[in-house]
């Protein structure tokens, strides 16, 4: 049975190697400082007490006034799961977080999807392009404030 | 030895070559004289004598007999079966439809046979063209008034013809599917045997409320 | 001219019916014809036209039948019914398809080289139809008994590579160009084992003529020359671009390859040429290795021939229904590293055998059935070890550890263990 | 003399016979060799995640059918488990057994599709495909008996399944389960020993386990690379801890290994279904409507549940704001994430390997684009 890290314990363990990286935590989740995500993730992947080698998923939730990045991590050697989160984009400005693609290759497509549908920019992503929609699509459709776009804006020639 | 696997493969395909055909020809199948006579239930000579034209075609293996696949009674199909007497116009189906393709317009003052007063229904449109036959409307119906149908042949040239209106719902052949209707399954009702259920009493209720419950719901609850 | 041509009874019958009074016909027992003497050239032209039309129509009919039969048989291999709507057992389906194809819009891509684009189907279909001229489909039933029949066949079929390359290049389609390049590589590679595998037959028969080859087969050469048959069959599959060598129009890779941009009857002609090539290939195999029209007597020779051709075609369809396609590098290495060696072994063994048994410098007589059986025994003795050896050389190595034992390379938690991070 | 060559860039797709849906490769070929490749997709993007935000929890089940349309039971299962975790619903035991049976049947059907189309990409003119489809057909017929639909099932409900299996279901299931091993044997004797298939698939598009796990690949993809990671075994959901089964592993990590692993997994599905049927007891298949109403209002919070889908770890991440519809519904689609390493797998291989490797990933465009 896969065990889940409790948020507090994980926060303590993260503080041990990256002081000040965690913002808050509860029984299940840890909230990180958005700018330090990659550093923490590197540690989570490499340090022997975590060994989170499988990034199950990257996603983002739009809470109107901010965005919340959610990373689901799995450790095969420890058979453990953990959830780390990060709040970013307060006030709906261009939300930006560091990309974890250098840590886990598996984040590549998922981060592109997040950028495409939610408009969260990932710094250091090797191929930061839209993935399911075409370049030039107006807006990011999974955001809560996305209104149906003007159909006349659809380019005849797919620019991709 | 190299090549063994290749030869084995040839053997497997040859085994399938002599196996009976697995596909079913729909809606009809080409048969010869023997097949046509067997389907008609007479001897080949009789068949030929009765109907020389068909017999000639059958000799050339171009006579056709209808054919279709055995369908499950739960098959969620077209042409919804709707019992107007039982419908109270509550529009649960419209609310539960994930696509919002059911349109109901009612006015107060109808009479429901089971539970007293209800709404009279003016419009009941189901846009079959967008329906995905998930059956949630049937599952939501509290009075078992709406049932899935059992047919699937509803090709049309005009998209608007795909909207089933109240007249069609009234006049449709009532061959309800047993999807979410356990009372049909208990009776071993199979809509594909040609049987219809025209009377809503015969259709039964899968969660029949007791008289006490009815009293509580409709009399005590309104005080 | 007329002396050799009149050996063909088919030709003779038509020709002498038109110009009976000519000397060649008189010697064959014909007395009088329509045309007066001196008009032999006209009679020849009429006869040629009649025969050409007859054979082309026959070939086309055979192709339509093949397309229908292939679809039916392939369907049966796949547990389906196949085309069955139009005509008895769907036998008119190909006719309906042909009519439909004719009425399609003829599209030429904007950037295509129009001349070559239109020429390619012609180049494709003409050589294939010409092959039918030299194949005896019954006793004396052939258009021309060329004394270089086999050579003619091999020479003329190479043109299809040119046609495919032409079609691919002229349609200005990058996917089609892949097809063209593959076709050229494939055909050039497989010409060699194909021609060399016939050399063994040639040594035994001592003639290139098709009728001569048939007459020499007291024992069918599939028994005498197993290696030659295997190589020729595989090479013929490649030449016809049939599975497992159908790289030129590999459906899952190139969509339809060089046919991508063709429509209407140009597509129809290309398609027809391919299927006609299959018929022609099967006919050549039946003639050279299955003793052509020979059989025992109450059944007419034509039936024997058609039966053998159908058997070969069935084998081809069976293989198509069963085997996957090889990759281009594997196809080429099979030609150069496998089939070429096999033909060489076959050639050497056959050469030694013929030299040992040959006594025909004097009279030019053929090998007797007994001698052929001896050859067959030796050849089969060579067949199995050589095929095994070549198969061993070409086969991909099996996995060292093919077992399903959970023998992990990657560390994964094996037992339940509480770790300090667990929620309380 | 040296010949001057230059790379050619070709768009394979979106209209191509073997792109498994609507998919486009932009490939740069150097001769027959693939020099560069870029997958382009999104042609089937329907915004399922956005649609889910406007539907009630019960209605979203119909959307999950359409994500991975060749294994919709598994999508249903993942979603329903997420809803159950979010709402804290205790499912009815018989319902759980039934949905395990349905899920394993769906896994057989999905693997059949994967194998059939992989062999179709190898150029077999549809023969293994029709054999595989024939077996899948039996599964679909059973689904029709169970829930009235063949592909878009919507069979599962929070707390179990919508209705008990009909009485004639179990005999049909039993005869199917006793016939299937012979059919799989037949397919295997046809395909697994075939020299051409071996030559075509062996050593092509090899994935090293470390790279595969770093790229978040899951399911048969990593089991073919020798990583013994099956969520049914490692993190049992439903009642998978009460059944025992083997996890087929192959260490090669190439196309053949992926084919082989799927082939063997189907046999394990049979043993799982047999154990489910044995352990199933009569009873209600879903909690009463008082416990689980149609209109669910989960408490505020989020839940992530992952199951072992036919293609890998299939996860649903649901966020609830206390309302009647999910505030956010994210799908961790295995087909989509398994595409990550496509470029690494394919560069340097030949054109013939392109679609074979692509087929061995076994993806479904409905799930990739969602």
């Amino acid at each position: 049975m896969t065990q889940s890290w409790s948020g507090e314990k994980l926060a303590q363990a993260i503080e041990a190697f990256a002081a000040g990286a965690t913002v808050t935590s509860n029984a299940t989740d840890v909230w990180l400082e958005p700018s330090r995500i990659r550093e923490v993730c590197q540690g989570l992947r490499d340090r022997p007490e975590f060994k989170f080698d499988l990034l199950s998923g990257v996603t983002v939730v739009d809470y109107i006034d901010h965005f919340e990045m959610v990373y689901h991590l799995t450790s095969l050697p420890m058979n453990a799961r953990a959830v780390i989160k990060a709040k970013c984009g307060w006030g709906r400005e261009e939300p930006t977080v560091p990309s974890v693609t250098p840590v886990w290759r598996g984040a590549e497509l998922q981060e592109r999807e997040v950028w495409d549908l939610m408009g969260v920019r990932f710094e250091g992503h090797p191929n930061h392009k839209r993935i399911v929609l075409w370049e030039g699509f107006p807006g990011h459709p999974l955001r809560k404030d996305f209104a149906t776009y003007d159909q006349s804006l659809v380019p005849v020639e797919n620019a991709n | 030895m190299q090549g063994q696997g290749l030869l084995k493969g040839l053997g497997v395909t040859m085994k399938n070559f002599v196996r009976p055909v697995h596909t079913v020809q729909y809606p009809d199948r080409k048969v010869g004289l023997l097949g046509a006579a067997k389907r008609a239930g007479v001897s080949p000579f009789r068949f030929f004598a009765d109907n020389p034209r068909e017999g000639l075609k059958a000799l050339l293996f171009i006579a056709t007999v209808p054919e279709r696949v055995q369908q499950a009674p739960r098959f969620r199909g077209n042409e919804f079966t709707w019992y107007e007497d039982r419908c109270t116009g509550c529009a649960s189906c419209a609310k539960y439809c994930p696509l919002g393709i059911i349109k109901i317009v009612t006015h107060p003052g109808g009479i429901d046979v089971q539970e007293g007063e209800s709404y009279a229904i003016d419009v009941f449109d189901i846009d079959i063209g967008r329906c995905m036959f998930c059956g949630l409307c049937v599952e939501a119906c509290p009075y078992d008034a709406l049932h899935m149908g059992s047919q699937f042949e509803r090709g049309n040239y005009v998209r608007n013809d795909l909207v089933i209106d109240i007249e069609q719902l009234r006049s449709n052949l009532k061959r309800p599917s047993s999807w979410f209707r356990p009372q049909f399954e208990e009776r071993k009702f199979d809509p594909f045997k040609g049987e219809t259920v025209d009377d809503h009493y015969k259709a039964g209720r899968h969660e029949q409320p007791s008289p006490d419950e009815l009293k509580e719901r409709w009399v005590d609850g309104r005080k | 001219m007329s002396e050799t041509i009149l050996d063909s009874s088919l030709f003779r019958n038509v020709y002498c019916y038109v110009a009976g009074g000519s000397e060649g016909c008189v010697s064959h027992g014909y007395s009088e014809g329509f045309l007066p003497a001196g008009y032999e050239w006209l009679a020849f032209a009429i006869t040629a036209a009649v025969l050409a039309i007859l054979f082309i129509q026959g070939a086309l009919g055979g192709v339509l039948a093949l397309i229908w039969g292939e679809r039916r048989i392939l369907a049966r291999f796949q547990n389906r019914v196949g085309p069955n709507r139009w005509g008895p057992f769907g036998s008119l389906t190909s006719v309906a398809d042909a009519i439909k194809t004719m009425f399609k819009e003829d599209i030429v891509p904007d950037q295509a080289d129009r001349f070559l684009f239109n020429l390619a189907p012609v180049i494709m279909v003409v050589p294939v139809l010409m092959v039918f001229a030299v194949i005896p489909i019954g006793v004396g039933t052939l258009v021309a008994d060329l004394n270089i029949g086999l050579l003619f066949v091999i020479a003329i079929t190479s043109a299809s590579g040119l046609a495919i390359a032409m079609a691919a290049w002229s349609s200005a389609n990058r996917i089609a160009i892949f097809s063209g390049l593959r076709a050229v590589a494939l055909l050039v590679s497989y010409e060699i084992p194909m021609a060399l595998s016939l050399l063994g037959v040639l040594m035994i028969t001592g003639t290139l003529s098709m009728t001569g080859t048939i007459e020499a087969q007291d024992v069918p050469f599939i028994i005498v020359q197993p290696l030659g048959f295997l190589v020729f069959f595989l090479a013929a599959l490649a030449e016809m671009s049939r599975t497992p060598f159908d790289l030129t129009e590999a459906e899952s890779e190139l969509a339809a390859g060089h046919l991508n941009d063709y429509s209407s009857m140009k597509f129809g002609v290309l398609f027809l040429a391919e299927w006609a090539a299959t018929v022609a290939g099967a006919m050549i195999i039946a003639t050279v290795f299955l003793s052509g029209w020979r059989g025992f007597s109450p059944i007419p020779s034509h039936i024997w021939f058609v039966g053998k051709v159908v058997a070969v075609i069935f084998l081809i369809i069976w293989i198509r229904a069963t085997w996957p396609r090889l990759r281009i590098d594997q196809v080429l290495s099979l030609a150069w590293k496998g089939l070429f060696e096999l033909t060489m072994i076959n050639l050497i063994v056959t050469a030694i055998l013929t030299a040992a048994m040959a006594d025909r410098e004097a009279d030019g007589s053929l090998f007797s059935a007994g001698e052929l059986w001896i050859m067959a025994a030796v050849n089969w003795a060579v067949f199995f070890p050589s095929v095994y050896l070549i198969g061993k050389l070409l086969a991909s190595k099996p996995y060292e550890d093919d077992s399903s034992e959970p023998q992990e390379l990657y560390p994964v938690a094996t037992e339940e263990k509480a770790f300090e991070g667990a929620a309380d | 003399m040296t010949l001057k060559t230059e790379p050619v860039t070709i768009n394979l797709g979106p209209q191509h016979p073997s792109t498994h849906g609507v998919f486009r490769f932009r490939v740069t070929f150097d001769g027959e060799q693939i020099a560069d490749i870029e997958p382009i997709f999104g042609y089937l993007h329907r915004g399922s995640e956005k649609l889910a935000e406007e539907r009630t929890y019960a209605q979203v089940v119909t959307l999950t059918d359409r994500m991975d349309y060749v294994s919709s039971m598994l999508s249903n299962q993942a979603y329903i488990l997420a809803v159950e975790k979010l709402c804290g619903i205790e499912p009815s035991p018989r319902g759980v057994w039934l949905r395990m049976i349905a899920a394993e049947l769906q896994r057989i059907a999905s693997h059949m599709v994967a194998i059939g189309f992989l062999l179709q990409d190898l150029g077999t003119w549809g023969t293994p495909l029709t054999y595989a489809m024939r077996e899948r057909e039996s599964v679909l017929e059973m689904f029709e008996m169970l829930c009235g639909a063949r592909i878009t099932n919507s069979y599962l409900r929070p707390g179990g399944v919508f209705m008990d299996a009909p009485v004639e279901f179990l005999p049909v299931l039993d005869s199917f389960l006793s016939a299937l091993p012979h059919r799989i044997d037949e397919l295997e004797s046809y395909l697994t020993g075939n020299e051409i298939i071996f030559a075509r698939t062996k050593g092509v598009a090899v994935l090293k386990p470390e790279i595969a796990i770093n790229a978040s690949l899951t399911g048969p993809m990593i089991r073919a690379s020798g990583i013994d990671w099956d969520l049914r075994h490692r993190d049992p959901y439903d009642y998978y801890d009460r059944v025992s089964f083997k996890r087929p592993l192959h260490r090669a990590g190439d196309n053949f290994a992926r084919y082989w692993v799927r082939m063997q997994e189907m046999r394990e599905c049979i043993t799982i279904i047999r154990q489910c049927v044995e352990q199933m007891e009569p009873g209600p298949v879903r909690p009463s409507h008082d416990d689980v109403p149609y209109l669910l209002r989960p408490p505020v919070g989020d839940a992530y549940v992952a199951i072992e889908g036919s293609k890998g770890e299939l996860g649903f991440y649901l966020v609830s704001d206390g309302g009647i519809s999910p505030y956010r519904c994210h799908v961790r689609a295995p087909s989509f994430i398994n595409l990550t390493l496509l470029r690494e797998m394919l560069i340097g291989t030949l054109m013939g390997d392109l679609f074979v490797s692509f087929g061995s990933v076994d993806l479904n465009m409905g799930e990739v684009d969602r």
Side-chain angles (χ1 to χ4, degrees), chain D residues 62-199:
Chain D
T62 59
L63 290 175
T64 61
D65 286 339
R66 283 150 182 84
M67 282 174 191
D68 186 353
Y69 43 77
V70 298
S71 58
S72 48
M73 281 288 187
L74 290 159
S75 310
N76 283 355
Q77 195 187 18
Y79 171 72
I80 292 298
L81 282 165
V83 172
E84 282 174 1
K85 188 176 174 192
L86 194 63
C87 306
I89 298 168
E90 186 62 37
S92 301
R94 189 174 171 87
V96 173
W97 288 119
L98 272 171
R99 73 188 181 198
M100 276 172 71
I101 292 173
E104 292 304 317
L105 283 174
Q106 185 72 76
R107 199 185 308 277
I108 293 174
S110 176
H111 282 343
M112 279 291 181
V113 172
I115 289 167
F117 279 99
L118 173 65
L119 270 300
Q120 174 80 350
D121 293 343
L122 275 168
T124 39
W125 291 104
T127 314
L129 178 67
T130 43
Y131 295 170
M133 285 289 164
R134 190 180 62 198
E135 316 314 336
R136 177 174 178 254
E137 185 67 26
S138 325
V139 175
L140 295 188
E141 271 164 19
M142 279 189 278
F143 283 168
E144 196 185 317
M145 287 168 82
L146 272 180
C147 60
R150 296 156 60 84
I151 306 224
T152 51
N153 307 105
S154 303
Y155 180 50
L156 274 60
R157 296 284 181 278
V161 299
F162 90 92
M163 213 171 151
D164 204 346
V167 276
E168 63 268 28
F169 174 71
L170 284 180
V172 172
L173 178 69
D174 193 51
S175 64
F176 170 72
L177 289 184
S178 35
L180 188 64
H182 304 295
R183 298 302 181 86
I184 296 175
D185 284 344
E186 190 184 289
L187 260 181
E188 262 207 293
S189 72
Y190 174 11
L191 301 170
T192 307
N194 195 311
E195 276 80 3
I196 298 181
I197 291 174
F198 206 56

Side-chain angles (χ1 to χ4, degrees), chain C residues 309-385:
Chain C
V309 171
V310 167
V312 173
I313 286 178
F314 183 81
L315 181 61
I316 292 172
I317 296 172
W318 189 6
I319 285 174
R320 171 174 166 182
T322 309
W323 291 351
R325 183 186 305 126
L326 284 163
R327 211 166 48 205
I328 178 80
D329 56 332
Q330 290 158 351
V331 169
L332 295 186
S333 69
L334 176 68
W336 290 107
K337 294 182 193 163
L339 300 187
F340 186 68
E341 276 77 357
L342 286 178
T343 51
M344 281 300 156
I345 294 169
N346 184 39
L347 216 57
I348 292 164
V349 172
T350 316
I352 293 169
L353 284 172
T354 38
M357 289 190 242
D359 50 357
R360 62 179 156 159
E361 290 88 29
D363 52 354
S365 67
L366 301 168
F367 288 105
S368 69
E371 285 169 327
L372 285 179
W373 279 115
I374 295 167
M375 275 190 196
V378 177
N379 271 322
W380 278 100
V382 175
F383 176 78
F384 287 110

Side-chain angles (χ1 to χ4, degrees), chain C residues 112-410:
Chain C
D113 184 331
R114 273 178 170 276
F115 178 68
L116 288 182
F117 191 77
N118 294 335
L119 189 64
V122 181
I123 303 264
M124 185 91 177
V125 78
V126 167
V128 177
L129 291 179
M130 279 165 79
V131 171
F132 287 98
V134 296
I135 297 171
I137 55 175
V139 183
T141 317
L142 78 169
V143 176
D145 183 14
L146 290 190
N147 51 4
I148 50 155
L150 281 174
L151 192 62
F152 175 79
V153 166
I154 289 171
I156 204 101
T157 48
S158 337
S160 72
L162 173 71
I164 292 177
M166 208 184 241
W169 180 260
S170 63
S171 52
N173 178 334
R174 286 182 229 178
I175 291 178
I177 285 172
F178 269 89
S179 166
L181 295 178
R182 281 179 178 191
V184 172
L186 200 101
L187 292 170
V188 168
S189 309
Y190 276 88
E191 282 295 326
I192 293 160
M194 190 175 180
L196 286 180
S197 65
L198 285 179
L199 275 186
V201 174
L202 212 63
M203 279 187 223
I204 299 172
T205 60
T207 172
L208 277 165
S209 141
M210 287 289 202
T211 20
T213 312
I214 290 172
E215 275 154 11
Q217 295 185 57
D218 293 331
V219 179
F221 282 159
I222 185 174
I223 297 168
V224 183
Q225 289 275 314
L227 269 181
F229 173 74
L230 181 75
V231 173
F232 187 82
F233 184 70
L234 291 179
L237 282 183
E239 293 272 311
M240 295 181 253
S241 64
R242 305 283 301 198
T243 316
F245 308 106
D246 56 343
L247 293 163
T248 50
E249 46 176 301
E251 192 234 1
S252 58
E253 296 156 30
L254 299 172
H258 59 285
L259 298 173
N260 263 348
D261 282 319
Y262 280 90
S263 63
S264 183
M265 210 50 215
K266 268 181 259 171
F267 172 81
V269 167
L270 282 171
F271 198 72
L272 184 144
E274 263 172 43
W275 256 253
T278 306
V279 179
M283 281 180 167
I284 295 165
I285 291 170
T287 308
V288 178
F289 288 102
L290 298 177
S291 72
W293 40 257
R294 285 177 74 152
F296 40 83
S297 102
I299 304 167
S301 60
H302 301 80
I303 306 281
W304 275 109
F305 184 73
V306 171
K308 283 168 184 172
V309 171
V310 167
V312 173
I313 286 178
F314 183 81
L315 181 61
I316 292 172
I317 296 172
W318 189 6
I319 285 174
R320 171 174 166 182
T322 309
W323 291 351
R325 183 186 305 126
L326 284 163
R327 211 166 48 205
I328 178 80
D329 56 332
Q330 290 158 351
V331 169
L332 295 186
S333 69
L334 176 68
W336 290 107
K337 294 182 193 163
L339 300 187
F340 186 68
E341 276 77 357
L342 286 178
T343 51
M344 281 300 156
I345 294 169
N346 184 39
L347 216 57
I348 292 164
V349 172
T350 316
I352 293 169
L353 284 172
T354 38
M357 289 190 242
D359 50 357
R360 62 179 156 159
E361 290 88 29
D363 52 354
S365 67
L366 301 168
F367 288 105
S368 69
E371 285 169 327
L372 285 179
W373 279 115
I374 295 167
M375 275 190 196
V378 177
N379 271 322
W380 278 100
V382 175
F383 176 78
F384 287 110
S386 51
V387 168
Y388 178 77
L389 203 70
I390 298 291
K392 201 93 182 154
L393 284 176
L394 277 179
S396 48
K397 301 275 179 300
Y399 294 112
E400 287 123 34
D401 177 25
D402 203 8
S403 66
S404 58
E405 292 303 308
Q407 194 176 6
E408 289 143 42
L409 297 171
Y410 192 85

Side-chain angles (χ1 to χ4, degrees), chain B residues 175-194:
Chain B
R175 278 181 295 197
S177 150
S178 62
W179 154 265
F180 209 71
R181 296 287 179 254
Q183 71 268 26
F184 286 131
E185 299 216 323
E186 282 159 19
R187 281 196 271 141
K188 297 238 179 284
F189 172 76
D190 192 344
F192 304 104
K193 286 181 185 147

